[in-house]
Amino acid sequence: MNINEKVKRRYNRISGIYEIMDKMIKEEWRFNLLSNIAGNVLEVGIGTGANLSFYPTHTKSLTGVDFSPRMLKHARDKVAKGHFSFPIELVEADIQSLPFPDDSFDTIVSTCVFCSVPDPLSGLQELKRVCKPDGQILMLEHMKSDQKWVGTVMDLLNPLTVRLWGANINRETMNTIEHSGLLIEKDKHLMGSIFRELSVRPNKS
């Protein structure tokens, strides 16, 4: 079994409790992030659909992808029960190989996704590929602390968090974003340097 299949099985297994885990992200953070969207939107790692109720009415369309079918089942239930003013399509897909043409979306959203992607660099490069040249990528991500001693503790705890719920807490996501060729336009610290709101551009010049 390859690493992608192992991660998928883990998220299928814990999908039932992910609603509780999603509450780690403050509603205020979700609201502020999603108030900035425009046009046709792709949300990667949509999971159980925790962001759905925060999308503004001016959203043109929303495509949500996740590689866990059990996660998507929860999201589909929310779509079926909700009253949305825009079309929503949910697709089972891997962020490392998205099934969309180049330059497909005006806005791409990710919330706590790149802690669990097996190859985060490939995932970020896929976001760059499917984002329009004048589009934006909006992210809420947790990552390794800039404080050395805190980062060391996170390194020690990381094997446990991966086993429990699949999240790497010591990813150096800012470095990975820079290596992907994306341009960081906004880096707002929400919880020290561990939790951040980011706005990046595809830099396709």
Side-chain angles (χ1 to χ4, degrees):
M1 185 187 302
N2 63 38
I3 188 170
N4 291 350
E5 286 300 316
K6 287 181 179 179
V7 175
K8 179 185 287 191
R9 288 184 63 178
R10 181 186 296 126
Y11 277 88
N12 280 335
R13 186 177 68 249
I14 65 174
S15 62
I17 63 170
Y18 226 76
E19 295 285 309
I20 299 171
M21 296 170 64
D22 275 333
K23 295 186 184 301
M24 293 173 60
I25 303 178
K26 294 182 180 180
E27 292 188 355
E28 177 187 358
W29 297 350
R30 295 184 194 272
F31 178 84
N32 290 339
L33 183 79
L34 297 177
S35 65
N36 295 315
I37 67 164
N40 296 310
V41 180
L42 170 68
E43 182 177 343
V44 293
I46 195 169
T48 63
N51 287 330
L52 285 170
S53 62
F54 295 91
Y55 277 95
T57 55
H58 68 255
T59 304
K60 187 173 182 181
S61 70
L62 172 62
T63 302
V65 302
D66 204 281
F67 70 169
S68 166
R70 292 189 184 177
M71 290 281 195
L72 285 174
K73 182 182 182 300
H74 292 281
R76 290 194 173 98
D77 288 344
K78 288 186 176 69
V79 172
K81 295 174 183 177
H83 300 281
F84 298 96
S85 60
F86 48 88
I88 300 174
E89 180 182 12
L90 298 177
V91 179
E92 184 180 340
D94 186 344
I95 191 176
Q96 299 165 132
S97 182
L98 292 168
F100 309 113
D102 296 357
D103 307 335
S104 293
F105 298 97
D106 302 291
T107 303
I108 299 176
V109 173
S110 80
T111 57
C112 290
V113 171
F114 285 93
C115 57
S116 58
V117 176
D119 185 347
L121 180 59
S122 294
L124 287 163
Q125 289 171 336
E126 276 291 271
L127 300 197
K128 178 181 177 182
R129 180 183 68 80
V130 303
C131 188
K132 292 181 179 179
D134 60 348
Q136 60 179 348
I137 302 169
L138 304 176
M139 310 172 74
L140 286 175
E141 292 291 338
H142 66 82
M143 59 198 73
K144 187 174 180 177
S145 174
D146 289 343
Q147 291 189 317
K148 187 174 181 180
W149 74 269
V150 178
T152 299
V153 172
M154 296 173 84
D155 285 338
L156 293 172
L157 292 175
N158 193 64
L160 177 61
T161 64
V162 171
R163 285 198 300 271
L164 289 176
W165 65 84
N168 292 274
I169 61 172
N170 66 343
R171 288 268 171 95
E172 297 184 358
T173 301
M174 301 305 292
N175 290 337
T176 309
I177 292 172
E178 291 177 357
H179 289 152
S180 72
L182 293 165
L183 290 176
I184 300 170
E185 291 195 329
K186 178 181 179 180
D187 175 11
K188 181 179 179 181
H189 291 202
L190 301 173
M191 187 186 294
S193 59
I194 294 175
F195 219 117
R196 309 188 191 201
E197 177 187 339
L198 304 171
S199 176
V200 304
R201 296 283 179 180
N203 189 25
K204 296 187 180 184
S205 58

